[in-house]
Amino acid sequence: MYPEFCLERWQSLRDWRAKYVLSESGVEPLDLSEIKIPNVKLEYGHTKGLIKVRQLIASLYPGKKEDDVIITAGGAEANYLTILSTINPNDEVIVEMPNYMQIPGLLRGINAKVKYIWLKDDFRLDLNELNEMVSKNTKAIVITNPNNPTGMALSESEIKGIVEIAEDNHVTVIADEVYRGLEHDGKMRPSFVDLYDNAISTNSMSKVYGLPGIRIGWVVASKELIDRMWSVRDYTSISPSVIGQEIAYNVLLEREKFMDRARRIALNNMRLMERLISDLDVKWVKPNATVLAYLKLNVKNTYDFSEKLFEKYGVLVNPGECFEMPGYVRIGLGSTNTEFLSEALSLFVRYLREYK
């Protein structure tokens, strides 16, 4: 049995009732007036994904071809296909924590042996600890880069360090890279598949490009692995949305423009966040990527805090309990409405001062 997905269930029960949604994890979604939509025949399309879309995505990864790419129904299906195609019951998998809990939940659901490696206080990965954790039984290392919920991106040297450990031990690296391109310094980190043949990259149009509603993601890996995922996909969604793929194609042709938009939103809102919490009793490791703020509060039960914040002021944040880290909250800073965001964060600050 798969465990209940705390984060997704928390949001789905509340976000449609919230006055101020600060639980979203990507930038403000685009609307149809901002993108080009061609006339599309509403057929299934190629079940692996439209050829031109796979070719375009492959071109973003040096040395990859269209057969090394499968288009998926968002990053969620990308991760689902990856786990079901590569991990078996009782396989040992090391998972970076904290993390978006989809992959850990899937691993538990198939009875894999999950080992956590927790980021340190500065939300950095200890490569020496990772090296010591890897054993002859380790099948894969799971990394989310940039990280959700902390918002921290690995440096290129850290990515290479993980690859060296994996290569030395013949271990697969499964990299969820949905925030790649939203590094605040504008220097996009290399993908793990750029550096290591035995790596798998999952990604989507949701977080950086502001298109969660089109439900388009992808996996990049070896052709052998992609074809295995394709076989699993025949039992799930069959094929991705052709309309969604056409939208994704047009946006990716101008991806620099949309990545610049995402970085502007992130930097503006991070400054606002920093100003509003400057005199609070909270700990914040300011992220170097994403639109996520992960705050450590002087509160033991952040689930209770978040529930009461929602009930009193209609402000929805994500409690750290959904990342197995009580005492933290994750706040989404993707809004383009500064007045709205300022009002929502001010209510969060007010309640933090009121909470007993």
Side-chain angles (χ1 to χ4, degrees):
M1 289 290 295
Y2 294 108
E4 181 175 285
F5 200 153
C6 173
L7 180 67
E8 295 301 333
R9 188 56 52 86
W10 165 269
Q11 292 183 165
S12 64
L13 291 173
R14 295 169 180 82
D15 58 8
W16 56 280
R17 295 185 290 128
K19 185 176 181 181
Y20 303 96
V21 178
L22 298 181
S23 59
E24 294 298 334
S25 52
V27 298
E28 183 83 23
L30 300 168
D31 61 47
L32 290 178
S33 68
E34 299 174 88
I35 51 182
K36 302 169 187 174
I37 304 176
N39 189 21
V40 180
K41 186 175 183 180
L42 300 178
E43 57 190 353
Y44 279 105
H46 196 299
T47 60
K48 201 175 183 180
L50 298 177
I51 292 175
K52 69 175 183 179
V53 179
R54 287 189 284 126
Q55 287 174 336
L56 178 55
I57 290 171
S59 72
L60 307 179
Y61 301 83
K64 294 299 182 181
K65 302 186 183 311
E66 65 191 68
D67 285 339
D68 303 319
V69 178
I70 186 169
I71 308 302
T72 61
E77 190 186 32
N79 289 335
Y80 183 83
L81 294 178
T82 295
I83 296 304
L84 265 63
S85 302
T86 58
I87 307 299
N88 297 311
N90 296 315
D91 280 349
E92 179 182 286
V93 181
I94 297 172
V95 179
E96 169 202 41
M97 287 288 289
N99 214 315
Y100 179 64
M101 296 303 291
Q102 182 198 8
I103 287 180
L106 289 171
L107 292 170
R108 289 199 182 97
I110 63 172
N111 294 316
K113 295 178 180 177
V114 182
K115 292 168 65 176
Y116 286 167
I117 179 167
W118 286 92
L119 301 179
K120 300 306 178 189
D121 288 342
D122 59 354
F123 294 140
R124 290 293 181 186
L125 185 66
D126 186 330
L127 293 180
N128 291 326
E129 182 181 355
L130 177 61
N131 192 42
E132 290 170 3
M133 285 184 69
V134 176
S135 73
K136 59 181 177 58
N137 298 317
T138 303
K139 181 73 173 290
I141 300 168
V142 174
I143 300 289
T144 297
N145 186 48
N147 180 265
N148 178 2
T150 70
M152 296 299 290
L154 295 165
S155 67
E156 186 168 348
S157 63
E158 288 170 324
I159 295 170
K160 289 178 178 177
I162 294 168
V163 166
E164 287 175 8
I165 293 168
E167 200 164 28
D168 289 346
N169 293 277
H170 308 290
V171 170
T172 300
V173 174
I174 297 171
D176 181 335
E177 297 179 334
V178 294
Y179 290 100
R180 184 168 174 252
L182 194 34
E183 296 88 346
H184 295 168
D185 60 8
K187 299 176 182 177
M188 187 164 62
R189 309 301 190 260
S191 170
F192 277 87
V193 298
D194 296 342
L195 304 175
Y196 184 38
D197 289 342
N198 196 17
I200 301 167
S201 170
T202 65
N203 209 323
S204 84
M205 299 299 296
S206 298
K207 309 302 182 186
V208 179
Y209 301 101
L211 291 170
I214 67 170
R215 307 308 303 137
I216 294 296
W218 61 88
V219 187
V220 180
S222 68
K223 181 181 183 301
E224 178 188 1
L225 271 174
I226 291 297
D227 284 347
R228 202 181 304 165
M229 294 176 200
W230 193 10
S231 295
V232 176
R233 136 69 80 48
D234 288 340
Y235 289 93
T236 59
S237 59
I238 301 178
S239 65
S241 160
V242 289
I243 295 177
Q245 289 181 89
E246 291 288 353
I247 293 171
Y249 180 78
N250 284 312
V251 168
L252 287 173
L253 285 175
E254 300 181 279
R255 60 189 176 278
E256 293 295 338
K257 178 178 80 172
F258 294 98
M259 288 191 291
D260 286 345
R261 170 186 183 263
R263 281 192 290 270
R264 286 195 304 273
I265 293 170
L267 292 172
N268 287 337
N269 292 345
M270 291 291 166
R271 285 191 289 268
L272 173 62
M273 183 73 171
E274 195 167 30
R275 186 169 69 252
L276 289 174
I277 66 167
S278 60
D279 63 343
L280 290 178
D281 183 20
V282 302
K283 180 183 177 183
W284 182 32
V285 178
K286 189 177 179 182
N288 62 4
T290 79
V291 288
L292 301 175
Y294 197 50
L295 306 183
K296 185 176 184 181
L297 311 183
N298 190 19
V299 171
K300 288 184 179 179
N301 187 335
T302 34
Y303 197 97
D304 178 75
F305 169 86
S306 301
E307 182 68 76
K308 290 177 177 175
L309 169 67
F310 173 71
E311 290 172 356
K312 185 167 185 179
Y313 290 121
V315 177
L316 184 63
V317 299
N318 300 118
E321 283 80 356
C322 289
F323 303 98
E324 299 189 18
M325 289 184 73
Y328 284 80
V329 293
R330 192 194 75 180
I331 298 176
L333 301 174
S335 177
T336 55
N337 187 333
T338 303
E339 183 179 350
F340 166 88
L341 183 61
S342 181
E343 186 175 340
L345 291 175
S346 296
L347 289 171
F348 167 79
V349 169
R350 179 192 298 181
Y351 189 68
L352 187 58
R353 290 193 171 110
E354 297 171 353
Y355 182 76
K356 303 294 183 185

